């Protein structure tokens, strides 16, 4: 699940920045009306929300971007991350979304999976080992399906051989 991987990347990355950082993750399919979170993944420093990310593992649409802008404003964040896991629904949806981002009252940053994973370049081997462990924890916390957990385990084992 992309939300678990995103949370794992942030937890690994911010663990290098010292104490006081906490990363919370919601299951990406949790309906927003049942969640009071600012995003699927939230970054706290000393219990204050400093960053949030919406994780989209299906093709993104303009309405997803509009929703992310609204969530960022409600959380009073000047910057909001939008993780695009499966591209865009269509080229016209992408262009409309990019126009909304350009005119948004906040800075909305689009991140693709390769860019997200590139953050692991800066954490060393020990950090990358930690990443594989914490993603497993997030998958458990999110009550991911056994097939998602098995896929993650298989991927990790393939990296260690």
């Amino acid at each position: 699940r992309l939300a678990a991987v995103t949370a794992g990347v942030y937890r690994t990355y911010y663990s290098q920045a010292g104490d006081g950082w906490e990363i919370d993750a919601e299951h990406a399919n949790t309906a927003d009306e049942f969640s009071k979170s600012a995003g699927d993944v939230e970054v706290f420093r000393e219990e204050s929300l400093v960053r949030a990310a919406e994780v989209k593992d299906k093709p993104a649409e303009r309405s997803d971007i509009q929703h992310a802008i609204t969530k960022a404003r409600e959380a009073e964040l000047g910057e909001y991350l939008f993780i695009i896991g499966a591209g865009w629904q269509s080229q016209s949806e992408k262009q409309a979304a990019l126009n909304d981002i350009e005119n948004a009252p906040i800075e909305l940053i689009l991140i693709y999976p390769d860019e997200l994973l590139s953050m692991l370049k800066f954490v060393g081997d020990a950090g990358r080992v930690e990443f594989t462990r914490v993603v497993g924890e997030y998958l458990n916390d999110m009550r991911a399906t056994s097939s998602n957990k098995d896929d993650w385990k298989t991927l990790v084992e393939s990296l260690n051989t």
Side-chain angles (χ1 to χ4, degrees):
R1 307 281 331 165
L2 187 55
V5 171
T6 301
V9 167
Y10 287 150
R11 186 161 144 193
T12 303
Y13 182 80
Y14 283 103
S15 72
Q16 306 289 310
D19 295 332
W21 295 95
E22 182 179 329
I23 313 301
D24 287 343
E26 292 277 336
H27 191 290
N29 294 328
T30 300
D32 287 333
E33 60 264 22
F34 299 116
S35 171
K36 298 195 185 312
S37 66
D40 296 320
V41 178
E42 297 173 310
V43 179
F44 293 89
R45 173 76 192 236
E46 307 292 331
E47 299 183 19
S48 295
L49 180 67
V50 295
R51 172 170 280 158
E54 192 72 17
V55 178
K56 188 71 176 175
D57 55 7
K58 297 176 184 161
E61 300 177 9
R62 179 185 189 191
S63 62
D64 298 320
I65 296 298
Q66 292 168 332
H67 181 70
I69 292 168
T70 299
K71 286 181 85 169
R73 292 185 70 195
E74 288 172 354
E76 299 180 355
L77 293 169
E79 173 183 283
Y80 198 81
L81 306 173
F82 192 92
I83 314 299
I84 299 176
W88 294 91
Q89 184 74 14
S90 68
Q91 196 59 30
S92 62
E93 285 286 325
K94 178 181 179 181
Q95 191 55 54
L98 293 176
N99 289 339
D100 287 347
I101 291 169
E102 188 174 318
N103 296 316
I106 56 118
E107 183 168 358
L108 194 132
I109 300 169
L110 300 178
I111 299 176
Y112 292 85
D114 288 348
E115 296 166 324
L116 179 68
L117 293 173
S118 72
M119 292 173 69
L120 296 174
K121 291 178 182 178
F122 304 105
V123 299
D125 288 341
R128 287 185 285 278
V129 168
E130 177 72 0
F131 164 74
T132 62
R133 187 187 66 74
V134 299
V135 170
E137 287 180 13
Y138 282 115
L139 287 169
N140 286 331
D141 291 347
M142 294 175 174
R143 294 182 300 281
T145 65
S146 59
S147 66
N148 288 143
K149 292 177 190 178
D150 290 344
D151 289 347
W152 180 251
K153 184 178 177 183
T154 300
L155 175 64
V156 170
E157 287 171 352
S158 75
L159 297 173
N160 293 326
T161 57

